[in-house]
Amino acid sequence: MKERELRALAGEVGAALRAAGWLCATAESCTGGLLAGAITSCPGSSLWFERGFVTYSNAAKVEQLRVSSDTLERFGAVSEETAMEMACGVLAAVPRAHLALSTTGIAGPGGATPGKPVGMVCFGVARRAGAGIVTRAVTQIFEGDRDAVRDAAVRRALQAALAELAGR
């Protein structure tokens, strides 16, 4: 049932992207490709999904998405600052994309630090606006085991895309 719900939600995102004439791309850490997987489970997603990055390590975030080492040092990989830089980095790397989504978090069961509990996920959304890029970030804490956190994060990222497309 979860997969069907995620596919339906991804399909809604796809319909909104197609209506806007936009392409989407993703940058994932804690979801490890599940967001791109949900998107590409939709028939015809090649019409609105350009590509996805799985940047699990800090080195990958820096090398592939141009996340600042200073940002990682000051705020950590699990932060709204990093999530926004990941999403912006997608748009820098993928000129054809109009909308970028990013996820970075602590899926568990370990990895918690003071102020950053298991289940904490930061989401970044970036979109092209005129000659610039508009970014937003939000943090949410999800309950459950690793699979539940990752599934909830994919759902929340897709909801963020829909909200961004509705407000464009």
Side-chain angles (χ1 to χ4, degrees):
M1 185 64 158
K2 276 188 284 188
E3 284 181 38
R4 214 174 320 160
E5 290 172 10
L6 287 177
R7 186 178 305 119
L9 188 55
E12 288 180 51
V13 171
L17 285 163
R18 287 195 65 196
W22 284 11
L23 286 173
C24 177
T26 59
E28 302 179 66
S29 188
C30 65
T31 50
L34 293 174
L35 177 56
I39 289 169
T40 58
S41 72
C42 297
S45 57
S46 61
L47 298 172
W48 50 273
F49 182 67
E50 218 284 342
R51 74 181 77 168
F53 295 85
V54 177
T55 54
Y56 210 67
S57 70
N58 285 352
K61 289 173 182 65
V62 171
E63 292 166 15
Q64 294 186 341
L65 301 174
R66 302 179 192 166
V67 172
S68 165
S69 296
D70 183 58
T71 298
L72 291 166
E73 189 175 310
R74 288 179 60 211
F75 302 104
V78 181
S79 66
E80 291 185 358
E81 291 82 2
T82 296
M84 286 190 292
E85 286 191 24
M86 288 171 68
C88 283
V90 169
L91 293 184
V94 187
R96 293 180 26 160
H98 300 86
L99 180 71
L101 308 171
S102 69
T103 62
T104 183
I106 304 166
T113 60
K116 295 183 181 184
V118 168
M120 180 175 160
V121 181
C122 301
F123 302 90
V125 178
R127 69 172 167 81
R128 297 195 191 281
I133 294 174
V134 174
T135 59
R136 299 184 201 318
V138 65
T139 298
Q140 193 160 345
I141 298 172
F142 300 104
E143 299 292 324
D145 64 10
R146 185 175 182 83
D147 290 338
V149 169
R150 288 163 37 109
D151 286 346
V154 170
R155 180 175 290 104
R156 180 65 181 89
L158 293 169
Q159 291 168 340
L162 282 175
E164 191 66 31
L165 286 158
R168 66 176 180 87

